[in-house]
Amino acid sequence: MNDMSKDANPVIPDTIYIDGHEIPFTQGQTIMDAAFAAGIYIPHLCHRPGLTPHGSCKLCTVDIHNRIAASSATDRRTHTKFAVDADSRSVSACTTPAAAGQQISSNTPELNEVRKTITQMLFIEGNHLCPSCEKSGDCTLQAVAYHLGMLDGHFPQFFPRREVDASHPTVMLDRDRCILCELCVRASREMDGKNVFAIAGRGTSAHLIVNSPSGTLADSGLETGDMAVHICPVGAILIKEHGYEVPIGRRTFDLHQVGEIGLEKVVLAKARHIDE
Amino acid sequence: MSNAKNKLRIATTSLAGCFGCHMSFLDMDERLVELLEHVEFDRSPLTDIKHCNPCDIGLVEGGLCNADNVHVLREFRRNCKILIAVGACAINGGVPAMRNHFSLRSCLEESFLNGVGVENPQIPGDVELPLLLDKVRPIHEAVQIDYYLPGCPPSADEFLSVLGDLLAGREPALPKKLIHYD
Amino acid sequence: MEQGKDSASNKDELANLRRVAIDPVSRVEGHGKITLMLDAENHIHEARFHIVEFRGFEKFIQGRPYWEVPFFVQRLCGICPVSHQLAAAKAVDQLVGVEHLTPTAYKLRRLLHFGQVLQSHALHFFHLSSPDLLFGFGSDPAKRNIVGVLDKYPDLALKGVKLRKYGQQVIAAIAGKRIHGTATVPGGMNKPLTIAEREILLADISDILSWSQDAVALNEQIHTEHAEHRSFAAIRSNFLSVTGNGGELELYHGGLRARSESGAKIFDQLDYRGYQQIIREEVRPWSYMKFPYLIGLGKQQGWYRVGPLARVNNCDVISTPLAEAARQRFKEFGNGSLVQDTLAYHWARMIEALHCAESIHELLHDPDITGSDLVADLGEKRQEGIGVIEAPRGTLFHHYQINEEGLIEKANLIVSTTSNNQAMNESVRSVANEYLDGNEITEGLLNRLEVAVRAYDPCLSCATHALGKMPLQVELLDAEGALLDRLSKGGNGKFERTGQSAL
């Protein structure tokens, strides 16, 4: 499967290789940053340029081939159904620094299959009812699922009971659709200078909470113009009373593909309502 | 003109669905005429055949809401070589599965005891009424499903894509541009 | 045996009754089952049309935001999703304090509605019920379907397919998708109709008008020339529908009018927002579909019919000329009385389809239809909204109460087919009385019972917000529940008598 060896491509300073393409990078960039800058799409959900990378959704998992890995008979990676290069490591591209000479696989059938499985798990874990969700057509989770060719959820649905918080005059929080990407948490902290959101609980009990005396958005200091309100990639944080204003055919992903570079600006622009 | 013997036999049903997938199937409009040169229908809401016979393809819309839905689904699995889950409800429970967040009792009470303008309030409990499942479930949780056609509803083009593949003896592969969940 | 029998029969009577069940009713949208209770002389003591599925929509919508409601309510039904979207949208308009839409938005909603009534009526006649009317009620079941019609009457069937297609195209142009699209926003619409879209729709309109007229003529002929049809499933009922304030046939908006079976008006131009003072729904333990009745007439006498027969009977005039001419002939046929014939639903349905085609034609020529002023200024918010519309199958009521946060607290739907519940039961009983012959259960009887139900174009998904299908079996049981006879319809339409077997 992997015929790239250290000797075939000389290590050029400030260059990495993604799927055989030579990609420049600058010190301090992650693999994801470098890919972005070069116009290469690596599927992701919890990543946003400008926010501290999180590495939690794992959709941006890539394989780096010429890393020395602890390879032993008990190494579980050799027991998978896909051929595994025991000298490779799987890492999240958004948190791993680019280093000169890295040989990276991203767009492989095996990785895309794993990404699809992760996406399926995200879908069955929450209540992602696209038919009646106002974010449908503008939703990055949905767009990534289309991109990966997901046709079904595969796993049994959880149907969890999750709380809706509509206490705020203009912003609604529907936890049915929250994928725990923490973009809102980071945006509130790093861009808005507030600290409105956090994740509490562990494992399948992990859930989004609001830092306010009442625990709801009403007294949280959240304002309509906050970045945290607009950065949600799914239909969990929404501006109230404006769903369905964009007709079918003109929604973000009717007009664009999720793999387009620079889409974040488009998505954010559409998320802001003309009232603001 | 196709020899009738070579026609693929298709059965369809709507379990706890809204019938939208069947309507979307009919949205192929005049293309139905050409399709009928290659397929014939067995049990279907559109025909008066009421038991599924051995068939090549089964199209199942809707999720599982009561015991009868399960019986029908099993009949389809027994008789259809290829079983396809059609639409959001069949694939993940869909809108009807929203009742899973509430107890079945509270749903029945809301409609039949506490509803607006309800006279003679009581929860219907006649033997004629099939037992309701505690929770609405997608169909793949009860039987093996061979292929999935997502959408609410899936477009007529999606139906034709999958049926076209099957008629040509190919593995169904839905083009990405036809995939949508709403 | 039955639990909780709700009729006045005492145990002695019950002990002498036999039960016959038909399961499911085919070529209808939804899940229905018919049971008959017969005494020793084969008189029908009870005929019941059961709706056997339940969804719980009125509960699980609670806690959802009101602006979402039109789009998930429409998932109740895949044939008439637009009806639910529009009825809910009318309720939502009230929640945001909008009394009047902009002219363009109003006309777009009407155009959307006419498109969907046209496609729904076309579907019902051509795809679902024409096989019975063209081939005969007792004809070969293997051919008694849309495929059979395409085979024997290809031109007619294709016209039907294209009529439906046109209606769907009107919907897609306005709602973005043929089925389960989006179009309405609180106080307006989300997309203008472009000039290009208008031109595309205008291109086919003369064919549509012509085919709709043909469909009316065909149904008029079928009904007036078959004496059997006139008395089939004969019942007499009150009628309820919305009419315009000039008494005209109105599908999108108007006041409530009811006529008694004699034709006298019971009430007229009632504001439908007061529907709770007019209608209550009775629960009976053997069906998930409730039994609405007019409070003023009481539970026994207050049941009524809705839908095309009600609307065409109730109104004084139809605003479009070709449909009005057809209505005049329909009225003459009634010879001074309302047309009570159950099978006249089919004729009335095509008159309405013609009216839709004419109305679409009118609206497409209206300059406002391509306007861009789509949303009215929002007014004072309210916490209760009621939207009523004439869906293809009859008067549809949507009622929502929200809290200050905008989330639904309570919801009530009276869907069209529910209003026909008693009538369908009475019609089934009437057919059973007319055709049942001794102990013999024939295929002809079975289909005739279904033909009676089909005339109402029931949307059983809507009715209990559920759907399903079950194998067809007819069982003859004695009063102790022992099996006397069983008839099963096999896959090839053949009947098998299987006296004794486990379910």
Side-chain angles (χ1 to χ4, degrees):
Chain A
M1 167 191 111
N2 174 30
D3 57 20
M4 290 186 278
S5 72
K6 272 192 283 201
D7 300 318
N9 291 312
V11 175
I12 300 174
D14 308 333
T15 301
I16 59 176
Y17 299 87
I18 300 181
D19 293 330
H21 301 292
E22 204 175 291
I23 310 291
F25 74 94
T26 58
Q27 278 307 318
Q29 279 190 322
T30 60
I31 296 173
M32 179 72 91
D33 293 335
F36 247 74
I40 291 183
Y41 172 67
I42 302 177
H44 57 274
L45 280 169
C46 72
H47 181 69
R48 242 333 170 272
L51 290 179
T52 308
H54 209 233
S56 59
C57 77
K58 292 296 190 242
L59 276 179
C60 69
T61 302
V62 295
D63 289 337
I64 305 178
H65 294 287
N66 53 350
R67 297 285 296 266
I68 296 163
S71 169
S72 72
T74 57
D75 189 336
R76 283 212 189 146
R77 288 167 301 150
T78 59
H79 298 308
T80 65
K81 62 176 176 169
F82 298 118
V84 171
D85 176 351
D87 286 332
S88 81
R89 263 191 82 177
S90 299
V91 299
S92 44
C94 65
T95 53
T96 305
Q102 282 169 336
Q103 304 282 350
I104 298 161
S105 293
S106 174
N107 192 19
T108 67
E110 294 82 1
L111 280 170
N112 285 325
E113 185 67 26
V114 165
R115 289 176 184 135
K116 186 168 89 174
T117 306
I118 293 171
T119 310
Q120 288 172 321
M121 290 182 186
L122 285 171
F123 266 86
I124 61 102
E125 185 180 25
N127 294 305
H128 294 275
L129 200 52
C130 296
S132 61
C133 177
E134 63 184 271
K135 195 79 176 182
S136 186
D138 290 303
C139 173
T140 311
L141 174 67
Q142 186 189 65
V144 166
Y146 292 165
H147 174 84
L148 295 169
M150 184 183 110
L151 298 180
D152 70 314
H154 184 73
F155 302 99
Q157 300 276 140
F158 281 20
F159 297 120
R161 183 91 160 96
R162 292 188 180 174
E163 296 304 309
V164 166
D165 177 352
S167 63
H168 193 278
T170 57
V171 180
M172 184 171 103
L173 170 58
D174 186 349
R175 293 183 175 87
D176 277 338
R177 305 145 182 177
C178 177
I179 55 170
L180 305 175
C181 68
E182 295 195 47
L183 279 168
C184 59
V185 175
R186 287 174 275 154
S188 188
R189 195 173 57 221
E190 295 173 23
M191 292 181 165
D192 299 329
K194 304 179 183 178
N195 226 330
V196 174
F197 296 106
I199 302 287
R202 290 178 167 278
T204 49
S205 308
H207 59 283
L208 194 65
I209 57 170
V210 173
N211 288 328
S212 70
S214 70
T216 66
L217 287 172
D219 53 343
S220 63
L222 188 70
E223 287 160 288
T224 320
D226 289 354
M227 188 56 115
V229 170
H230 300 286
I231 205 159
C232 181
V234 299
I237 302 178
L238 296 164
I239 304 288
K240 288 166 88 168
E241 302 180 291
H242 290 292
Y244 303 103
E245 286 177 352
V246 180
I248 294 172
R250 302 211 58 76
R251 303 167 302 180
T252 308
F253 296 107
D254 293 328
L255 303 173
H256 301 277
Q257 295 294 310
V258 75
E260 280 174 33
I261 298 302
L263 197 58
E264 280 76 20
K265 293 200 184 70
V266 173
V267 170
L268 273 176
K270 278 180 180 265
R272 286 191 184 285
H273 189 255
I274 47 169
D275 279 354
E276 299 154 46
Chain B
M1 189 72 123
S2 292
N3 184 337
K5 287 203 195 107
N6 296 334
K7 286 192 183 182
L8 281 190
R9 203 162 171 83
I10 302 183
T12 81
T13 187
S14 178
L15 300 175
C18 76
F19 230 64
C21 295
H22 277 77
M23 292 300 102
S24 190
F25 180 86
L26 291 177
D27 278 343
M28 66 175 69
D29 308 314
E30 307 96 314
R31 294 177 288 176
L32 180 63
V33 177
E34 205 213 304
L35 183 68
L36 286 170
E37 290 184 13
H38 306 284
V39 310
E40 55 192 3
F41 286 99
D42 191 85
R43 170 182 176 159
S44 166
L46 302 170
T47 68
D48 287 349
I49 299 172
K50 316 240 183 166
H51 267 297
C52 188
N53 296 288
C55 288
D56 298 293
I57 301 171
L59 298 172
V60 179
E61 169 190 346
L64 299 169
C65 278
N66 65 29
D68 273 314
N69 295 152
V70 180
H71 288 309
V72 172
L73 178 62
R74 287 181 177 158
E75 179 187 282
F76 266 69
R77 179 69 276 182
R78 274 197 305 276
N79 284 286
C80 300
K81 288 188 198 143
I82 294 173
L83 200 58
I84 305 181
V86 173
C89 297
I91 294 176
N92 60 39
V95 168
M98 290 177 73
R99 81 155 163 86
N100 290 355
H101 304 309
F102 302 92
S103 71
L104 179 57
R105 170 170 287 282
S106 65
C107 293
L108 287 165
E109 285 175 354
E110 184 65 31
S111 285
F112 298 107
L113 298 185
N114 309 325
V116 173
V118 165
E119 178 71 24
N120 194 20
Q122 58 186 300
I123 295 183
D126 194 88
V127 286
E128 302 292 354
L129 303 176
L131 295 174
L132 289 164
L133 298 181
D134 183 45
K135 298 291 172 198
V136 175
R137 309 301 316 186
I139 63 177
H140 71 89
E141 296 186 16
V143 300
Q144 172 72 28
I145 298 297
D146 301 306
Y147 300 108
Y148 299 88
L149 264 187
C152 187
S155 64
D157 287 340
E158 283 184 64
F159 282 103
L160 287 171
S161 169
V162 167
L163 290 176
D165 284 340
L166 289 170
L167 279 167
R170 289 188 299 263
E171 182 75 7
L174 203 57
K176 278 189 189 168
K177 66 180 188 330
L178 286 183
I179 300 177
H180 61 94
Y181 308 143
D182 62 357
Chain C
M1 292 307 283
E2 291 184 48
Q3 305 155 299
K5 193 167 193 317
D6 59 337
S7 75
S9 309
N10 57 27
K11 280 208 171 120
D12 288 340
E13 273 186 50
L14 248 182
N16 294 325
L17 296 178
R18 277 195 338 267
R19 172 179 166 273
V20 173
I22 299 174
D23 201 0
V25 176
S26 64
R27 286 185 287 122
V28 294
E29 184 285 332
H31 236 165
K33 167 170 158 176
I34 296 172
T35 63
L36 306 170
M37 294 296 288
L38 311 166
D39 69 15
E41 282 86 48
N42 291 332
H43 293 309
I44 310 291
H45 272 240
E46 193 69 74
R48 289 177 173 175
F49 178 52
H50 307 260
I51 301 309
V52 297
E53 286 227 12
F54 169 76
R55 274 218 201 116
F57 170 82
E58 279 137 342
K59 182 67 190 177
F60 67 67
I61 195 182
Q62 291 173 0
R64 299 308 311 169
Y66 73 81
W67 58 91
E68 204 180 83
V69 164
F71 308 103
F72 95 70
V73 161
Q74 67 180 345
R75 260 93 186 175
L76 280 175
C77 182
I79 303 188
C80 59
V82 171
S83 306
H84 290 292
Q85 191 189 139
L86 289 176
K90 290 176 82 176
V92 167
D93 289 343
Q94 286 169 34
L95 296 176
V96 296
V98 170
E99 288 290 326
H100 299 286
L101 301 171
T102 65
T104 295
Y106 182 67
K107 289 171 185 177
L108 278 174
R109 285 205 190 168
R110 292 177 71 84
L111 182 60
L112 178 61
H113 194 43
F114 287 127
Q116 83 117 0
V117 176
L118 177 67
Q119 69 83 13
S120 173
H121 282 354
L123 172 91
H124 182 257
F125 175 62
F126 292 95
H127 295 69
L128 299 180
S129 48
S130 71
D132 297 311
L133 298 169
L134 296 173
F135 298 140
F137 300 166
S139 60
D140 178 9
K143 300 237 169 3
R144 208 170 52 207
N145 52 57
I146 176 68
V147 180
V149 180
L150 272 166
D151 207 38
K152 184 144 184 233
Y153 302 105
D155 286 336
L156 177 71
L158 265 178
K159 278 183 195 170
V161 166
K162 289 179 184 173
L163 272 171
R164 178 176 176 272
K165 175 181 177 179
Y166 186 80
Q168 295 285 70
Q169 288 171 327
V170 170
I171 295 171
I174 300 173
K177 258 167 79 181
R178 287 189 178 199
I179 300 172
H180 300 328
T182 70
T184 59
V185 292
M189 299 292 271
N190 70 3
K191 177 191 160 310
L193 189 70
T194 66
I195 293 181
E197 285 163 341
R198 194 261 307 272
E199 293 310 306
I200 292 174
L201 291 173
L202 268 178
D204 291 324
I205 192 67
S206 47
D207 279 338
I208 298 303
L209 283 165
S210 158
W211 297 337
S212 308
Q213 287 184 75
D214 292 344
V216 174
L218 175 62
N219 274 278
E220 185 176 333
Q221 180 192 12
I222 290 174
H223 192 73
T224 54
E225 290 181 5
H226 289 85
E228 188 203 6
H229 286 205
R230 302 193 47 191
S231 58
F232 184 83
I235 61 171
R236 299 185 63 78
S237 74
N238 305 308
F239 291 106
L240 176 76
S241 70
V242 162
T243 55
N245 54 18
E248 68 273 23
L249 180 75
E250 243 303 317
L251 296 176
Y252 180 74
H253 186 70
L256 290 174
R257 173 187 285 188
R259 285 195 199 266
S260 70
E261 57 179 84
S262 68
K265 283 186 206 163
I266 303 171
F267 53 75
D268 195 14
Q269 283 300 300
L270 273 190
D271 185 343
Y272 58 67
R273 286 179 287 194
Y275 82 95
Q276 289 171 79
Q277 275 72 56
I278 311 170
I279 295 173
R280 283 180 71 76
E281 295 182 89
E282 190 191 0
V283 181
R284 297 184 197 168
W286 42 268
S287 180
Y288 283 124
M289 189 154 85
K290 294 178 259 196
F291 289 80
Y293 62 94
L294 299 174
I295 298 172
L297 297 180
K299 267 187 265 189
Q300 300 303 324
Q301 309 298 326
W303 59 277
Y304 55 90
R305 287 193 278 191
V306 296
L309 191 64
R311 293 190 288 250
V312 174
N313 270 323
N314 263 6
C315 72
D316 304 318
V317 69
I318 298 183
S319 63
T320 57
L322 296 172
E324 171 60 13
R327 186 195 71 86
Q328 297 276 1
R329 290 197 299 279
F330 184 87
K331 190 173 167 190
E332 274 162 38
F333 176 75
N335 209 14
S337 307
L338 296 182
V339 178
Q340 293 275 355
D341 309 353
T342 299
L343 288 183
Y345 258 100
H346 296 294
W347 181 6
R349 195 168 288 118
M350 289 301 107
I351 295 177
E352 288 191 334
L354 177 56
H355 171 62
C356 290
E358 292 182 279
S359 303
I360 291 172
H361 182 239
E362 250 175 48
L363 282 167
L364 288 175
H365 282 295
D366 187 320
D368 283 336
I369 204 69
T370 47
S372 53
D373 181 20
L374 297 177
V375 187
D377 294 329
L378 305 190
E380 198 189 305
K381 289 215 171 140
R382 295 194 208 124
Q383 291 188 246
E384 188 166 38
I386 298 175
V388 173
I389 200 168
E390 284 292 332
R393 293 159 182 83
T395 321
L396 174 63
F397 298 79
H398 278 230
H399 178 185
Y400 302 105
Q401 287 170 350
I402 59 173
N403 63 19
E404 330 68 56
E405 296 178 351
L407 305 181
I408 301 284
E409 295 229 296
K410 201 144 180 88
N412 186 37
L413 298 200
I414 305 180
V415 294
S416 326
T417 298
T418 306
S419 290
N420 282 334
N421 200 355
Q422 182 79 25
M424 286 190 287
N425 275 276
E426 298 289 332
S427 297
V428 160
R429 179 196 288 243
S430 165
V431 170
N433 272 325
E434 196 175 343
Y435 292 96
L436 185 62
D437 181 29
N439 281 349
E440 205 189 341
I441 315 159
T442 64
E443 201 274 331
L445 161 69
L446 294 179
N447 194 43
R448 278 173 166 73
L449 289 168
E450 298 179 74
V451 169
V453 168
R454 276 182 211 122
Y456 291 90
D457 184 12
C459 194
L460 306 174
S461 276
C462 294
T464 40
H465 334 304
L467 180 71
K469 284 247 167 277
M470 292 189 287
L472 177 62
Q473 250 175 15
V474 178
E475 293 175 344
L476 197 56
L477 305 174
D478 69 15
E480 276 90 48
L483 186 66
L484 296 175
D485 199 356
R486 172 189 273 136
L487 208 56
S488 302
K489 224 178 202 180
N492 50 11
K494 265 204 241 154
F495 273 79
E496 281 175 79
R497 272 203 147 76
T498 56
Q500 306 239 345
S501 55
L503 260 170

